[in-house]
Amino acid sequence: MSTGSLLLWVVLPYACAVVFIVGHIWRYRFDKFGWTTRSSQTYESRLLRWGSPMFHLGILMVIAGHVVGLLIPREWLYAIGIDEHMYHLGATWLGTAAAILTLAGLAILIYRRRTVGPVFVATTPMDKVMYVFLGAALFFGTLATLVYQVFGSGYSYRESISPWIRQMIIFQPHPEMMEQVPIFFQLHVITASLLFALWPFTRLVHVFSAPIPYLFRPYIVYRSRDESRGAGARPVRRGWDPITTPPDNRGRRRR
Amino acid sequence: MKVMAQMSMVMNLDKCIGCHTCSVTCKQAWTNRSGVEYVWFNNVETRPGVGYPRTYEDQGKWRGGWTLNKRGRLKLRDGGRLHKLSRIFSNPKLPGIQDYYEPWTYDYDMLLNSPAGEHTPVATPKSLLTGKDMKISWSANWDDNLGGSLETMDQDPLLAKMSEEVKAEYEKAFMFYLPRICEHCLNPSCVASCPSGAMYKRAEDGIVLVDQDACRGWRMCVSGCPYKKVYFNHRTGKAEKCTLCYPRIEVGLPTVCAETCVGRLRYLGLVLYDADAVAAAASVADEHQLLDAQRSVLLDPNDPAVIEAARAEGIEEDWIAAAQASPIWRLIRDYEVALPLHPEYRTMPMVWYIPPLSPVVDVVTNTGNDGEDANNLFAAIDKLRIPVGYLAELFTAGDPAPVELSLRKLAAMRSYMRGVSLHDEHDESIANAVGMSGAQIQEMYRLLAIAKYEERYVIPAAHAEQAHDLEEMGCSLDFEDGPGMGGAGPFGSSSGASVPVAVENFHSLKNRQTADRPSSPGRVNLLNWDGNGKPDGLFPPEEKK
Ligand code: HEM
Ligand code: SF4
Ligand code: SF4
Ligand code: SF4
């Protein structure tokens, strides 16, 4: 086991995971105001109408697929009657559909970002970096599938990448499992790790606010001034000035 | 019965001169930031007209507010929770910025810095969205005073509901102004549409607010509000709306729009209402019954049973007293001259309007008759189908009776009071014709025409014992070196203890109004300086001659 392999398959993923977790906690504590989809629909909705649902449906399917393929050991699937053949069919067909939706959606979204004036102006540098890594992770993932699964003889990542991930999760890393993995899968893993490190600092934080509780709450929300000191404003944490207009003496309020 | 208090507003449209002062002061106070350039928490529309955003009243298109489902239960017009979530990635009913207008600025620099030449330099309009040159073709009040409205008037959703002949004659008939703010509804569909639960109705005073820290930019509230009074800040990605100027209301000051209103036509006060009765009242099947249903949700603050129930809910005595003195209650229930805007949206709006009589008076006067004679006016109200029909579409879901009654009362007040001031004659028959007594007419006249400041605004301050919990105040022990939590933040101390904004404004306003010297020597707040006097430090010291 070389140092390079240790760095790539143990240190980097763990570092990214730490940044991902600590980053989210930090951002949630100090920058709730920045925690938003920053929707650009008021500028343009004709392209978004297609691009956004396509991309989102696709990516949610992709995420579901990754959970099934990576995190759930195949013995468990066998136990509920999903054998190798069924899994393969599902992974290939659903996977292809998801990939097409995601990539087409992403293409529309990026095209829109670039060509629609107001959307382009409202695109932050962080958005651009995010799109590079998001695009790269999706690109290598699709490429690997195309090269090895669809046109190649098939590569059984459930015997190498999946156990590697699960071993990482239980803190018993086995970097050697990744060493023989084909290059595009390796690149996919690396770009995805970097994307996770970026995640908390981009608009992607909105994923963790998926409004599922909406389904279970009453329609009208009442809130008392007393409940949360003031008109619902949460106390400001020390060390972080809320975003306000300049002559401001509220930023130093402590609690 | 669950008694709750609601801070509400009534606007007397007869007095609105369409000066837009309210819009401008509100904008200066709340939306003079980037991302909300296109946003007017307070806007003034010329009616008939398309409104702001364009055709917002066409709920067939925008699908805001509530409607009844097959079983007669309330449902959001644009679909329930699951339906909303299924369309969250792209909201098909969201107004685009072009439906409001593309905000712009001018290239003022050209005027100052262009080289000397033959032609006068021109400041070209630049889009605030793209920074590029743009052609200005719409704004928040493009059809102000019916300007250019021959082209756009047929898009007015209310006119579309009225018959052809009415439409053709309309421009000759009359015009009036409709100032609009958020309605701070009893049954707010914006709150119901918010997937994050970031929007809420304040339990104490019913003000509807957006928690800026909890909003996640799903932008469902914008399409959920039938009045289109939630706006999307396109820079911060958060929804914003009229706050009823709660920092002012909490210290007993009227809202900015009310305080600065040139016509002094806005009334602010509390009403008590039965929160348990709201849903039933909003689901009344017949749209024409919605007005009465909403009136019946409001509780009589002088009824001992109501007072008892209010105390049981922890409403303080001075708030109950304020509800009893409330101009809103009087205008809505005692005189029944104020009417809600679009009750058919079923949100139970709480900014009500006294419909304008002056267009009717003008018509009578233009025909050479006496425009202040009760019988002439009554006859005109009966005959002038067009204004009444249009006003009914605005205020009573199309039912002309309550609008007529309101206008007749205003007409009666006009001629009764003319009798009093010209001939010292109290013609009770005029008052009786609209079911009032002369004394009542005089009281109403005092409230509507004299309209003293203290009678227009009856705003109890938020409670002192609650004050430490109010938005902008910390614990009083919490200041620098206080016995509370000591010490400065990690970035060192700021200069002195922080003073909450609302309190600072309140004191400086009060000082300014009562003192003849600058209120805060040495520190000049230019925004508060009214041009009187010479605050210390504002000008260089004068040289002694
Ligand atoms: C879990 C549920 C999710 C919901 C409810 C959701 C919702 C949204 C919404 C409302 C927008 C704003 C669209 C607009 O109006 O401009 C958005 C944008 C975006 N979302 Fe999501 N999202 C979810 C998951 C994800 C995931 C898993 C990803 C990717 C990893 C993702 C990536 C993006 C990106 C890149 C944009 C920006 C699109 C653009 O304007 O260029 N989202 N999302
Ligand atoms: S008028 Fe105000 S309270 Fe009513 S639905 Fe619209 S935003 Fe909400
Ligand atoms: S109440 Fe305040 S925020 Fe609302 S419209 Fe009036 S001035 Fe603007
Ligand atoms: S300031 Fe008063 S009179 Fe002027 S437009 Fe506004 S509501 Fe009307």
Side-chain angles (χ1 to χ4, degrees):
Chain A
M1 182 174 57
S2 68
T3 326
S5 146
L6 191 69
L7 278 179
L8 275 184
W9 310 122
V10 180
V11 177
L12 177 75
Y14 274 142
C16 291
V18 168
V19 174
F20 181 83
I21 293 170
V22 176
H24 274 104
I25 297 174
W26 171 81
R27 177 114 188 242
Y28 191 74
R29 282 184 56 135
F30 295 124
D31 184 27
K32 286 202 192 73
F33 183 60
W35 196 289
T36 155
T37 63
R38 244 188 34 261
S39 164
S40 53
Q41 198 186 337
T42 46
Y43 301 136
E44 197 279 350
S45 68
R46 209 173 40 85
L47 286 168
L48 189 85
R49 168 95 126 267
W50 288 99
S52 181
M54 279 166 73
F55 169 77
H56 279 96
L57 281 183
I59 196 93
L60 291 177
M61 283 165 72
V62 167
I63 291 174
H66 279 67
V67 169
V68 175
L70 293 180
L71 300 184
I72 304 181
R74 55 178 163 176
E75 290 73 21
W76 296 14
L77 292 183
Y78 294 159
I80 57 166
I82 298 180
D83 61 19
E84 202 60 41
H85 181 64
M86 281 169 71
Y87 175 82
H88 187 74
L89 278 182
T92 312
W93 289 109
L94 286 177
T96 310
I100 292 174
L101 272 179
T102 314
L103 290 179
L106 191 73
I108 297 178
L109 286 178
I110 294 181
Y111 171 79
R112 171 176 177 271
R113 287 246 153 227
R114 189 63 198 83
T115 56
V116 179
V119 185
F120 185 55
V121 172
T123 305
T124 65
M126 210 54 190
D127 283 337
K128 293 176 191 161
V129 178
M130 183 266 303
Y131 267 124
V132 168
F133 282 86
L134 183 63
L138 288 171
F139 172 75
F140 286 123
T142 316
L143 195 65
T145 312
L146 281 182
V147 172
Y148 310 120
Q149 313 296 88
V150 180
F151 298 111
S153 51
Y155 174 74
S156 184
Y157 52 83
R158 291 211 289 172
E159 282 159 23
S160 52
I161 309 182
S162 306
W164 166 76
I165 276 229
R166 293 198 292 269
Q167 294 298 340
M168 293 285 288
I169 289 173
I170 58 173
F171 296 110
Q172 290 170 357
H174 286 275
E176 71 282 358
M177 286 178 166
M178 283 299 289
E179 277 166 12
Q180 301 310 319
V181 170
I183 176 77
F184 290 139
F185 275 121
Q186 290 189 336
L187 285 173
H188 176 60
V189 171
I190 292 173
T191 46
S193 302
L194 293 174
L195 177 66
F196 282 120
L198 273 178
W199 202 288
F201 314 104
T202 65
R203 67 161 77 205
L204 291 182
V205 290
H206 74 272
V207 176
F208 293 94
S209 306
I212 307 302
Y214 182 47
L215 295 175
F216 309 104
R217 70 148 223 255
Y219 268 137
I220 309 295
V221 179
Y222 292 94
R223 213 199 271 180
S224 170
R225 279 197 296 241
D226 301 356
E227 227 168 68
S228 52
R229 357 194 146 261
R234 296 198 180 78
V236 176
R237 306 271 176 181
R238 63 177 55 223
W240 190 264
D241 287 337
I243 303 168
T244 40
T245 39
D248 182 310
N249 43 19
R250 289 204 289 148
R252 293 266 172 249
R253 184 164 43 129
R254 299 179 314 277
R255 231 168 247 294
Chain B
M1 180 158 71
K2 179 174 166 56
V3 183
M4 292 181 85
Q6 169 77 39
M7 182 53 69
S8 339
M9 189 185 281
V10 168
M11 301 191 211
N12 183 1
L13 293 186
D14 239 348
K15 291 184 174 181
C16 181
I17 58 172
C19 64
H20 299 269
T21 308
C22 46
S23 309
V24 172
T25 49
C26 171
K27 192 159 194 35
Q28 290 293 20
W30 292 104
T31 57
N32 59 351
R33 295 161 286 134
S34 90
V36 282
E37 311 90 345
Y38 76 102
V39 170
W40 298 83
F41 289 166
N42 182 113
N43 75 294
V44 183
E45 298 165 2
T46 302
R47 303 313 297 257
V50 293
Y52 158 84
R54 260 177 277 194
T55 68
Y56 69 94
E57 282 154 313
D58 182 356
Q59 301 309 336
K61 178 172 179 202
W62 300 110
R63 308 198 65 73
W66 303 87
T67 181
L68 297 181
N69 66 11
K70 286 198 202 73
R71 283 174 296 140
R73 307 252 314 261
L74 273 183
K75 68 162 198 188
L76 288 172
R77 191 189 289 272
D78 195 29
R81 298 178 173 90
L82 269 177
H83 190 254
K84 279 227 149 55
L85 289 194
S86 73
R87 294 150 69 138
I88 198 167
F89 303 123
S90 163
N91 176 356
K93 296 298 168 198
L94 187 79
I97 208 150
Q98 303 295 347
D99 291 308
Y100 301 86
Y101 67 98
E102 181 166 352
W104 73 88
T105 182
Y106 293 95
D107 190 4
Y108 294 108
D109 204 40
M110 278 299 282
L111 301 183
L112 301 175
N113 291 336
S114 58
E118 198 183 331
H119 302 290
T120 323
V122 180
T124 47
K126 299 270 183 198
S127 163
L128 283 169
L129 298 183
T130 59
K132 306 245 164 62
D133 284 348
M134 69 175 271
K135 182 172 177 296
I136 301 169
S137 57
W138 194 256
S139 80
N141 53 339
W142 199 249
D143 53 356
D144 203 21
N145 292 342
L146 299 185
S149 63
L150 280 184
E151 267 174 47
T152 53
M153 183 139 43
D154 54 336
Q155 296 167 25
D156 179 337
L158 300 191
L159 277 189
K161 287 191 191 166
M162 302 174 69
S163 65
E164 279 306 313
E165 94 216 68
V166 167
K167 271 195 261 178
E169 267 194 50
Y170 201 88
E171 26 151 345
K172 286 186 251 152
F174 78 91
M175 165 198 110
F176 64 97
Y177 303 104
L178 181 71
R180 293 199 304 125
I181 70 171
C182 163
E183 300 281 338
H184 298 277
C185 307
L186 299 183
N187 185 31
S189 55
C190 57
V191 172
S193 306
C194 169
S196 341
M199 292 192 71
Y200 60 96
K201 193 166 176 61
R202 272 213 315 201
E204 286 81 359
D205 50 16
I207 297 178
V208 176
L209 294 171
V210 187
D211 182 341
Q212 290 292 305
D213 274 354
C215 170
R216 298 285 170 256
W218 307 123
R219 37 133 174 72
M220 288 296 172
C221 52
V222 179
S223 45
C225 170
Y227 303 93
K228 293 294 169 280
K229 278 293 172 188
V230 189
Y231 302 86
F232 196 76
N233 181 323
H234 59 90
R235 290 285 181 242
T236 63
K238 305 252 163 166
E240 294 188 20
K241 66 180 287 300
C242 158
T243 61
L244 206 68
C245 293
Y246 71 85
R248 293 173 57 91
I249 294 281
E250 281 174 3
V251 292
L253 294 171
T255 66
V256 169
C257 54
E259 174 91 272
T260 59
C261 172
V262 171
R264 304 184 179 188
L265 56 90
R266 299 189 183 212
Y267 297 78
L268 277 162
L270 283 182
V271 286
L272 301 180
Y273 71 102
D274 182 0
D276 289 337
V278 170
S283 357
V284 170
D286 178 3
E287 287 186 347
H288 290 179
Q289 297 303 317
L290 280 165
L291 168 63
D292 276 336
Q294 185 166 0
R295 279 181 180 148
S296 71
V297 168
L298 309 183
L299 298 170
D300 181 354
N302 296 309
D303 177 348
V306 171
I307 297 177
E308 208 43 55
R311 286 190 186 128
E313 293 293 337
I315 297 178
E316 309 285 342
E317 293 302 323
D318 59 336
W319 278 52
I320 297 177
Q324 288 164 345
S326 164
I328 311 297
W329 170 259
R330 288 168 64 193
L331 292 169
I332 292 181
R333 285 301 296 270
D334 286 353
Y335 309 139
E336 297 200 337
V337 284
L339 302 168
L341 184 64
H342 290 303
E344 72 274 19
Y345 298 161
R346 298 176 185 276
T347 60
M348 304 260 120
M350 283 313 294
V351 173
W352 288 39
Y353 294 87
I354 301 173
L357 179 69
S358 23
V360 181
V361 178
D362 289 346
V363 171
V364 176
T365 318
N366 288 345
T367 56
N369 289 310
D370 178 358
E372 297 198 327
D373 178 81
N375 291 327
N376 285 351
L377 286 174
F378 289 162
I381 293 168
D382 286 342
K383 239 180 39 231
L384 286 175
R385 304 312 321 161
I386 304 173
V388 172
Y390 191 88
L391 292 172
E393 290 296 342
L394 268 183
F395 300 124
T396 54
D399 180 7
V403 175
E404 274 170 11
L405 183 61
S406 177
L407 291 180
R408 288 170 70 92
K409 284 182 173 168
L410 297 177
M413 180 177 87
R414 212 179 175 98
S415 24
Y416 183 89
M417 291 313 297
R418 181 175 71 163
V420 172
S421 47
L422 288 189
H423 320 294
D424 198 18
E425 148 199 294
H426 298 252
D427 185 349
E428 292 298 313
S429 70
I430 299 181
N432 296 343
V434 293
M436 294 173 84
S437 70
Q440 267 181 319
I441 292 253
Q442 295 211 21
E443 278 171 29
M444 185 163 94
Y445 168 79
R446 193 180 154 76
L447 186 59
L448 289 183
I450 312 260
K452 286 278 191 204
Y453 191 92
E454 318 78 63
E455 287 183 38
R456 269 183 288 140
Y457 308 129
V458 181
I459 306 168
H463 265 267
E465 60 272 23
Q466 297 169 357
H468 67 283
D469 285 323
L470 292 182
E471 153 74 336
E472 311 209 18
M473 307 176 109
C475 164
S476 55
L477 304 180
D478 214 14
F479 292 130
E480 204 76 23
D481 294 325
M485 306 302 292
F491 300 119
S493 57
S494 54
S495 56
S498 63
V499 183
V501 174
V503 176
E504 184 195 46
N505 286 354
F506 176 70
H507 287 307
S508 62
L509 261 180
K510 194 172 147 220
N511 289 343
R512 180 156 62 90
Q513 280 162 357
T514 51
D516 46 9
R517 288 183 303 112
S519 52
S520 47
R523 276 174 63 216
V524 185
N525 183 345
L526 275 181
L527 291 176
N528 287 345
W529 184 52
D530 58 1
N532 289 331
K534 291 184 181 170
D536 281 351
L538 184 60
F539 302 106
E542 272 177 48
E543 280 175 35
K544 296 229 170 67
K545 297 210 173 112

